[in-house]
Amino acid sequence: MIAFTLNGRHVETDAAPFAPLSDTLRERLGLTGTKVGCEAGDCGACTVLLDGAQVCACLVPTAQAEGARITTIEAEDPLVEQLRAAFLAHGAAQCGICTPGMIMAARDLLTRDPTPCAPAVEEAISGVLCRCTGYRKIVDAVLDAVPHATPMPSAGGAVGAAVARLDGAPKVAGTDRFGADAAPPDALWLRVVRSPHASARFTLGDLEAARRGLGLQAILTHRDVPGINAFGIMPNLKDQPVLAEGLVRFRGEAVLALVGERAAVEAVRDGDLPIAWEPLPALHGVEAALAKGAPQLHAHAPGNVLVRGRLTSGDADAAQSAAQAEGAFETAFVEHAYIEPEAGYAEPTQGGMTIVACTQAPYMDREETARVLGVAEEAVRIVPTACGGGFGGKLDVSIQPLLAVAARAVNRPVRVVYSRTESMASTTKRHPAILRARMAADAEGRFTAYALDADFNTGAYASWGPTVANRVPVHASGPYRVPNVRNRTRAVYTNDTPAGAFRGFGVPQAAIATEALVDDLAEQLGLDRWEIRRRNAIGHGDVTPSGQVLHASAGLPECLDALKPVWDAMLSRVAAHNTSATRHRLGAGIACMWYGCGNTSMSNPSRMRVVLGRDGTLTLFNGAVDIGQGSTTVIAQICADALGLPLSAFRFVLGDTALTHDAGKTSASRQTFVSGRAALEAGRDLRRKILALANAGEDATLALSGATLHVADRAGGGRSIDLAALASDLEGDGRYDPPTTALDEEGQGIPYATYGFAAQCALVRVDTVLGTVKVEEIVAAQDVGRAVNPTLVIGQIHGGIAQGLGLALMEEFIPGRTENLHDYLIPTAGDVPPIRVHLIEDPEPEGPFGAKGVGEPALVPTAPAILGAIRHATGVRVTRVPVLPHRLWEALHVRQG
Amino acid sequence: MIAYHRPRKLEEALAIRAAQDVAVIAGGTDVYPAAAGRRAWGDPTHKDVLDITSIPGLDRIEETASGWRIGCLVTWSALGRAALPPLFDGLKAAAREVGGVQVQNRGTIVGNLITASPAGDGIPNLLALEAQVDIAGPRPRQVPLREFLTGYRATALEPTEILVALHVPRLDGARSGFVKLGARRYLVISIAMAAGVVAADATGRIAEARLAVGACSAVAQRLPALEAALRGVAIREAAEVVQADHLAALSPIDDIRASAAYRRGAALTLLRDLLRGLA
Ligand SMILES: Cc1cc2nc3c(=O)[nH]c(=O)nc-3n(C[C@@H](O)[C@@H](O)[C@H](O)COP(=O)(O)OP(=O)(O)OC[C@H]3O[C@@H](n4cnc5c(N)ncnc54)[C@H](O)[C@@H]3O)c2cc1C
Ligand code: FES
Ligand code: FES
């Protein structure tokens, strides 16, 4: 027995002495507020206090807790309580998976130093990674011990109010349930055996003997898949097996599923399993896959080309120009690095299956799981847990089909928790891209033509490859008026990790190329970089390369105008500094972006239901999954004002396929816009019904007290409805599908109902001797249509910027080499600079209260703005990201001869 | 099941070490990540464990007649807080750069040394300090660090031994420094690093310089040629003395973090920066 003091109470545990303390807390002592993101000290999600000092619980042998005082997020402690309130008020918790660790790290600091400065806070929390917030709001929260919280708005005042996220309290208390936090007590454990080879054949020996020998309940192969052993995003492209059938196409592909008691499953050495491998040559990168004579990886993809995308308008080759720029650019695989690895459980039901797991797309999970099980979709129920970050990486199924197959095979609940490495090695990435682009302008700097040929490495399976290939041609020429455009893209199969959806679907990669060419043209023409962008900025009434007229909500000119004083100030600061500086040089960069909200030319409806019960409860049945971005709060704010009852009156049923309608997936910056609009319609629908019942006019006000609804008209008259006396609950139903049209062969049509626009300026400091880059400041201006919740909108922008910074400077996933958060670097609290945000609100008539999407756009301009700033500081035109110090140093050396 | 020994006496620990093949564990900050890495690719096995953290007296920093004795359980944080002369400024700087605060609160300087990673931030500092290691075992011995580090992640420690302390000899009037280069601000493995101890005479001329570079060879290297060249140089001008030739003994490699050529160039810059910082 190991005994220690846990949050002031004496506890004893018979946990194994070598078991990490994090595991003992979670699995033995039931305190799941301490999170596990890596089991290797890299993420800090498991931070607890040991005798008052912060430690990673995943690195502490339980034996070493003997006699110690352990404090976790569950502690009742005044300082922790203050931090919880501050985190809520500042929007410092988005998905919330890092929050317990952050709060414990901050608590450690505040006991040592009650009035720290910002750098001290950064250092104190530097061992905890956050992928959502960009850290600045966390630093603010720690600095601001007595926060000033926005009060809950009254009826009609929800939209525009910076209220704290409605699902925030459990996140800061450590009681939110993420994928790994709960499972039925009788659940067996699943462990997936994965290919160590990128390309190989394999044969299996006597698995039954192995199963008996290892004390497992089951060893599952593709033969155990009751339905179709295939999944994938595209309806016609279910190309990825749940369990491989004698052939693997990437390192990390699932081969066997081991099911049994936890200890038995975890003790298995892969080497003890009867698998005979025959490694084959592997195709790494698109060049290898496109080479003549390269083996064909899928029967349906001759030449390994999965899909081609194109867009043509005008004649990009014939256009007249005074200046021409071209270049080749390369980007790397980028890992989502959500701090919560995939986790959840499956529970068999009569004829079907319930899956409780973290996800971004419950209805898609349901469809995929049903196919794999060979049952009707209705037989599968998906119950999303809290989701510790997604960013596109939890759109594809990962654990769901495996859990379903396993739970079916053993007819018991089965749970799984991916390790960090497993998550990184087996789930999707941002597509690496090779981009060749050309751009031309006339003597006044007006863009005349743009052409792009881009190859995206989609890895071993299709996933969202077609989406990337189709979205990029629409967006590649940037948010500018360009009369002649010719874009061609390919998604190419390789033996690399599958690439899928990641905040921006290929647009961030394309923007790196395009914005560099814009800078080239400005340089050739002697124009200021802000000026050339402003001259070409697309705006109201302009026509996009796909032939769409922007009738409304096109606020890029306003974004650029908001940045003009910032830009001028940055330029003067750079000039003043660089006259005397030789080694540490400053540079300023600017970049723009646009981003279509919702799926490209595809129906993507959402449906919402709001019910005013006879008992006086008001419930929003919201199928949109909040992965930290705030949709639960924003959609409720919209519905509240559409209905006319206060936000505080709402209760929620969230994202359970048995209880909520399909609100689509949380991707493509669509939840505020599409699901928000559905919630608006639902709220209005309920309001209409109430007004009809009360025989009241449009402008009547509503108030709810208990089961009595008061409907008052302007004149002061009104009536009260006794809800309990009604024959049934009152229900509002709302559906919305953004109006789009198909794209023709030349990519012409209306691919999106609306677009987000943004511009960012970056100031960097480059050590020209070491090639290191420090981003000093980012200023963003973003047209969000309407900021339904400014705190959450700004949170999205900060988070996008942090990811854009990582993309530009440090992130590079290399299969087999950077499969952990030690070698794969994401920004820490010390890497994200102060950020200023200008919100531009050019209302979108289609959007709820004028709102449109914000989730992805902020990431897009960051990397190009930083690259532009590096170029300004050094003269090096960067063509490959990430700009690791050695790459910049090599480029500087070439320049210096 | 993995057997877990947590003796309260050094003798007991040595007896366990002598009797069986066990993995010693101190702060665990290298042991646990290594185990997680193996487990991720299908090897969950682990040696039996010998936890030395409840042996009293090993977590002290003591001044001795000839210098300082740093117990094997002294953590980075404890070292950072300790009252020590400027000779230790470099090691203290490293103590704030190793991992994040959590890792500093748990990880030991000795554990870092025994892991003997080419990128271990403690090692160039200890080389510059001319530390000796104090080994308990069947044949107790003191070994100079240079002999103790035998190669890439390899040391002269025998499976029967426990490293009980480091001994750092006094060097009057000496100061030290440490500079680390990584691809992000915190929580980062060094691409390259430089550590140095410099003692100057009353006129500001270097009487003794000891410089070491890490992450640029399988084992961090002292730079004797540079040290010789610096002797007698005014400390203000020391940075100017450093030339590429002085780094000839390094053998950096290309890896995910940087190229070999870059590492060589960076080492030169870091050494110059280090000496400038000590001027
Ligand atoms: C997230 C993270 C970031 C890190 N960042 C850095 C970094 O920036 N720079 C850096 O240099 N290091 C870094 N490290 C590694 C660093 O924490 C370790 O090297 C640490 O100092 C090792 O000490 P420990 O007590 O934790 O060792 P342990 O893990 O307990 O042991 C390490 C090794 O030493 C052996 N050992 C320990 N003590 C003794 C003894 N007295 N006698 C015999 N054998 C012994 C063990 O058997 C084991 O082989 C990082 C680690 C993590 C988890
Ligand atoms: S889980 Fe402990 S640091 Fe990541
Ligand atoms: S809020 Fe920090 S990781 Fe999501």
Side-chain angles (χ1 to χ4, degrees), chain A residues 394-476:
Chain A
K394 290 175 183 165
L395 284 169
D396 301 63
V397 289
S398 53
I399 58 177
Q400 294 84 354
L402 287 159
L403 281 172
V405 170
R408 168 55 52 81
V410 296
N411 201 27
R412 259 176 77 174
V414 175
R415 73 184 288 199
V416 71
V417 179
Y418 275 3
S419 71
R420 170 58 53 186
T421 296
E422 180 170 29
S423 171
M424 291 182 75
S426 69
T427 66
T428 60
K429 305 282 163 282
R430 181 185 295 290
H431 286 70
I434 294 176
L435 310 122
R436 287 169 223 87
R438 188 158 58 72
M439 197 164 189
D442 67 16
E444 279 75 53
R446 296 203 167 74
F447 299 151
T448 54
Y450 178 91
L452 170 78
D453 287 281
D455 287 328
F456 291 87
N457 179 351
T458 208
Y461 296 103
S463 181
W464 295 85
T467 308
V468 168
N470 291 324
R471 187 175 270 271
V472 169
V474 178
H475 289 86

Side-chain angles (χ1 to χ4, degrees), chain B residues 29-69:
Chain B
T29 64
D30 278 325
V31 168
Y32 277 88
R38 289 195 304 271
R39 202 161 60 233
W41 287 103
D43 180 8
T45 56
H46 201 279
K47 277 190 193 176
D48 290 345
V49 176
L50 171 60
D51 180 337
I52 58 173
T53 57
S54 56
I55 301 172
L58 298 180
D59 59 352
R60 283 190 221 135
I61 301 177
E62 290 161 328
E63 196 165 349
T64 64
S66 56
W68 289 266
R69 195 181 144 86

Side-chain angles (χ1 to χ4, degrees), chain A residues 457-608:
Chain A
N457 179 351
T458 208
Y461 296 103
S463 181
W464 295 85
T467 308
V468 168
N470 291 324
R471 187 175 270 271
V472 169
V474 178
H475 289 86
S477 55
Y480 306 113
R481 287 183 301 271
V482 193
N484 303 288
V485 176
R486 202 240 340 106
N487 294 334
R488 291 196 208 112
T489 56
R490 290 186 290 193
V492 180
Y493 279 125
T494 64
N495 287 120
D496 293 320
T497 320
F502 190 160
R503 225 171 180 173
F505 287 106
V507 177
Q509 294 94 308
I512 285 171
T514 307
E515 294 294 316
L517 299 187
V518 171
D519 285 353
D520 288 341
L521 292 174
E523 190 174 283
Q524 285 180 36
L525 294 164
L527 279 173
D528 172 76
R529 289 171 286 156
W530 178 91
E531 182 63 36
I532 196 169
R533 287 174 169 84
R534 184 64 179 84
R535 266 183 212 184
N536 290 283
I538 204 162
H540 286 239
D542 286 333
V543 183
T544 72
S546 80
Q548 180 174 358
V549 181
L550 297 178
H551 293 294
S553 196
L556 182 63
E558 290 77 6
C559 290
L560 281 165
D561 291 347
L563 289 184
K564 181 68 162 83
V566 173
W567 177 244
D568 289 341
M570 277 188 184
L571 290 182
S572 349
R573 189 170 155 203
V574 170
H577 173 91
N578 286 356
T579 44
S580 56
T582 49
R583 176 166 169 184
H584 295 276
R585 293 178 64 83
L586 294 181
I590 183 168
C592 300
M593 80 95 222
W594 64 322
Y595 196 78
C597 302
N599 293 2
T600 311
S601 288
M602 272 203 281
S603 165
N604 61 130
S606 281
R607 191 169 164 198
M608 291 279 159

Side-chain angles (χ1 to χ4, degrees), chain A residues 184 186-189 217-220 224 226 259-261 345-354 373 375 402-415:
Chain A
D186 61 336
L188 294 173
W189 286 72
Q217 291 279 320
I219 299 181
L220 305 174
D224 298 293
V259 188
E261 296 298 335
Y345 67 89
E347 191 161 21
T349 56
Q350 196 64 41
M353 191 66 64
T354 297
L373 283 180
V375 301
L402 287 159
L403 281 172
V405 170
R408 168 55 52 81
V410 296
N411 201 27
R412 259 176 77 174
V414 175
R415 73 184 288 199

Side-chain angles (χ1 to χ4, degrees), chain A residues 35-46 56-58:
Chain A
K35 304 301 174 192
V36 172
C38 70
E39 298 173 288
D42 297 320
C43 75
C46 63
C56 292
C58 71

Side-chain angles (χ1 to χ4, degrees), chain A residues 18 39 42 47 54 61 63-64 123 126 251 266 268-270 583 769-770 819 823 826 831 885-886 889-890, chain B residues 4 6 26 32-33 39 41-42 44 51 96 102 105-106 184-187 257-259 261-262 269 273:
Chain A
F18 191 54
E39 298 173 288
D42 297 320
T47 301
Q54 59 167 310
Q64 290 188 17
E123 187 169 338
S126 66
R251 172 182 159 91
E266 289 186 348
V268 176
R269 277 185 64 232
D270 286 7
R583 176 166 169 184
V769 178
L770 286 174
E819 288 170 345
D823 296 316
I826 66 170
D831 297 296
H886 72 101
W889 179 85
E890 273 145 27
Chain B
Y4 196 95
R6 199 170 187 230
Y32 277 88
R39 202 161 60 233
W41 287 103
D51 180 337
R96 291 185 70 171
Q102 300 97 322
N105 283 343
R106 299 280 303 163
R184 69 179 175 190
R185 174 62 190 88
Y186 291 113
L187 210 62
R257 284 186 262 279
S259 64
Y262 173 72
T269 304
D273 289 351

